[in-house]
Amino acid sequence: MAAAARARVAHLLRQLQRAACQCPTHSHTYSQAPGLSPSGKTTDYAFEMAVSNIRYGAGVTNEVGMDLQNMGAKNVCLMTDKNLSQLPPVQVAMDSLVKNGIPFTVYDNVRVEPTDASFMEAIEFAQKGAFDAYVAVGGGSTMDTCKAANLYASSPHSDFLDYVNAPIGKGKPVSVPLKPLIAVPTTSGTGSETTGVAIFDYEHLKVKTGIASRAIKPTLGLIDPLHTLHMPARVVANSGFDVLCHALESYTALPYHLRSPCPSNPITRPAYQGSNPISDIWAIHALRIVAKYLKRAVRNPDDLEARSHMHLASAFAGIGFGNAGVHLCHGMSYPISGLVKTYKAKDYNMDHPLVPHGLSVVLTSPAVFTFTAQMFPERHLETAEILGADTRTTRIQDAGLVLADTLRKFLFDLDVDDGLAAVGYSKADIPALVKGTLPQERVTKLAPRPQSEEDLAALFEASMKLY
């Protein structure tokens, strides 16, 4: 990085650090003390853990036909994308369905980084098919598309925006019963096999949004590490960055008992509740696996040990963030993906421009954690140490800068593009990127530190170059 650019980034990060909010609500010391009774409380007092059943093992996809037989399924929809439909993971799943006499129809028109239009196409297919069970074989895009198809086929009179997160949609609670859904993840990133979240691009506003409800989480996730051997290096890296940020963001999120409002009914308690003692355990464990195995998994496609561990780490982080939530890296990533111009990521066989989700998330991470570290510096320092930093002589007030430097080194070692400028953005795009972040309040409000539009603009500017 040129000296002038480096100085500019350092100046922006120092400004963000100094501007910490000192109001009583946000200058607290982290504590997980139990809340009081719900009557009269403005912040929540409880948290809930919801997770899909998980089965892990090499070759476990062979059991999917038996599972559907055990469920009494008679008309199954198998969802995947065009690329995967030609690869072994889908073939293994189909062979199991055939062997166990399960009638099924394949839908292979899932779009990688789905849109409202691609969701609605899958929903229409599901409604016409009158399926009694679903199998999703693929990455987060496939699993999320399948969740949406299952939801709206089970609630055929609902308008599409009824269940979409506010403020873009109405964010209605899901009260209809859904059909069984078995998720077979083929990437190690989204953790979507464990969560009740389905993300898509809302094309009209050029923003990412989603549906978040415990009701749409898969019935069962089959985590088969053999599928990870088919992933190209950049797909492994970018999906691993999603795991990294899931863990970091959920561990540093606003604590559940400081999130407001307190729900008047448990059905309205959000899936993303804030950091909590159970999610913390999953997040930290996932982070340790990322630190130990991600570089190996990227560099050696035959390293089954490393790729197996990353496949599990994805689920671990999913259990953590699926109940705690994520915050600014994810909130800011949605316009980075949604406003993509011409960038096409290496190793992705796509006919449209694409900034992969994990890449869009991780590019802002050094700036974001410099900004948030004022609130829970001990947690930021702990994560920096797990990722390899020597923190023995670090001052607590430097926690954010140390974590940021640790992340930059981690990303540089894995050949990550040099900031937002390298994926096609410039300073002129910052207002549009900020505008695209503002509707993401479901996640941005879980940041431990509140942020103004000026803060977001400074974070995007500081993320234009990483090195």
Side-chain angles (χ1 to χ4, degrees):
M1 185 193 296
R6 188 187 300 275
R8 173 69 180 151
V9 169
H11 173 68
L12 282 164
L13 293 176
R14 279 196 299 272
Q15 279 188 314
L16 289 168
Q17 273 201 307
R18 281 198 295 268
C21 175
Q22 297 300 325
C23 68
T25 305
H26 296 105
S27 57
H28 62 274
T29 302
Y30 186 84
S31 143
Q32 289 285 12
L36 305 173
S37 88
S39 57
K41 272 188 73 70
T42 57
T43 56
D44 211 339
Y45 69 101
F47 67 93
E48 177 175 338
M49 293 299 292
V51 65
S52 307
N53 291 334
I54 294 295
R55 187 182 304 148
Y56 173 86
V60 77
T61 309
N62 290 301
E63 297 184 357
V64 68
M66 288 180 274
D67 287 313
L68 291 163
Q69 194 177 65
N70 295 339
M71 293 171 182
K74 307 291 185 197
N75 181 26
V76 173
C77 175
L78 188 153
M79 284 203 177
T80 189
D81 65 51
K82 284 278 194 295
N83 287 333
L84 263 172
S85 65
Q86 309 301 316
L87 294 174
V90 171
Q91 193 59 54
V92 171
M94 290 196 298
D95 288 348
S96 180
L97 269 60
V98 170
K99 182 180 177 182
N100 289 280
I102 303 297
F104 68 95
T105 305
V106 174
Y107 180 84
D108 66 358
N109 212 27
V110 167
R111 178 185 164 103
V112 176
E113 301 298 338
T115 64
D116 51 328
S118 75
F119 263 21
M120 286 193 270
E121 188 180 329
I123 289 163
E124 185 181 355
F125 183 87
Q127 289 174 336
K128 286 179 179 173
F131 301 108
D132 60 5
Y134 295 83
V135 177
V137 184
S141 297
T142 295
M143 291 184 277
D144 289 4
T145 300
C146 199
K147 292 174 191 177
N150 187 11
L151 170 60
Y152 289 97
S154 302
S155 186
H157 302 299
S158 294
D159 182 73
F160 180 70
L161 289 177
D162 281 353
Y163 297 122
V164 172
N165 298 325
I168 289 166
K170 297 176 184 173
K172 288 184 177 178
V174 177
S175 55
V176 296
L178 272 63
K179 305 299 184 189
L181 192 167
I182 299 177
V184 185
T186 58
T187 60
S188 305
T190 66
S192 188
E193 69 275 10
T194 71
T195 73
V197 177
I199 301 295
F200 65 94
D201 281 310
Y202 189 54
E203 292 184 298
H204 175 63
L205 296 178
K206 288 196 179 318
V207 293
K208 260 190 164 55
T209 183
I211 302 158
S213 168
R214 296 176 185 88
I216 69 171
K217 72 181 188 300
T219 313
L220 172 66
L222 296 180
I223 302 176
D224 187 340
L226 296 182
H227 298 331
T228 65
L229 299 178
H230 304 284
M231 279 195 292
R234 295 326 297 172
V235 178
V236 176
N238 291 328
S239 53
F241 298 145
D242 203 17
V243 180
L244 171 68
C245 288
H246 285 157
L248 287 171
E249 290 172 72
S250 62
Y251 193 60
T252 58
L254 189 75
Y256 75 93
H257 60 272
L258 294 173
R259 192 198 76 255
S260 62
C262 183
S264 57
N265 185 308
I267 198 172
T268 62
R269 180 168 283 116
Y272 287 2
Q273 301 160 92
S275 61
N276 61 77
I278 301 179
S279 287
D280 286 351
I281 294 168
W282 293 99
I284 284 295
H285 191 53
L287 195 62
R288 293 188 192 282
I289 296 174
V290 169
K292 185 173 182 180
Y293 289 108
L294 179 57
K295 290 179 185 178
R296 276 177 52 185
V298 171
R299 289 167 181 163
N300 183 359
D302 299 319
D303 191 337
L304 183 60
E305 181 189 20
R307 291 198 170 191
S308 298
H309 277 287
M310 283 304 302
H311 215 33
L312 263 184
S314 176
F316 292 165
I319 296 167
F321 92 85
N323 294 284
V326 287
H327 55 80
L328 284 175
C329 293
H330 272 76
M332 294 169 67
S333 81
Y334 297 142
I336 295 169
S337 293
L339 296 171
V340 61
K341 300 171 186 178
T342 58
Y343 181 84
K344 287 191 176 181
K346 186 185 174 195
D347 287 349
Y348 289 78
N349 184 18
M350 293 294 114
D351 59 1
H352 55 273
L354 174 76
V355 180
H357 172 66
L359 180 60
S360 71
V361 168
V362 84
L363 288 176
T364 62
S365 62
V368 162
F369 293 112
T370 303
F371 176 77
T372 57
Q374 295 249 343
M375 302 322 302
F376 308 130
E378 296 87 356
R379 289 194 161 219
H380 288 70
L381 207 54
E382 181 184 357
T383 58
E385 186 175 15
I386 290 169
L387 291 171
D390 182 351
T391 61
R392 286 172 297 182
T393 59
T394 303
R395 299 181 307 166
I396 197 69
Q397 60 264 41
D398 292 332
L401 294 172
V402 170
L403 178 54
D405 283 344
T406 306
L407 286 166
R408 278 194 205 92
K409 182 178 186 308
F410 194 80
L411 301 184
F412 184 81
D413 287 348
L414 284 169
D415 301 318
V416 173
D417 299 86
D418 188 8
L420 297 181
V423 299
Y425 291 103
S426 70
K427 194 170 178 179
D429 297 306
I430 289 175
L433 291 167
V434 171
K435 184 181 177 184
T437 305
L438 296 178
Q440 310 303 333
E441 58 185 42
R442 178 179 66 95
V443 294
T444 56
K445 70 181 182 183
L446 286 173
R449 180 178 162 190
Q451 63 287 156
S452 65
E453 290 186 38
E454 291 75 18
D455 290 331
L456 292 172
L459 289 170
F460 278 118
E461 185 173 351
S463 302
M464 285 294 163
K465 285 185 75 66
L466 289 180
Y467 315 124

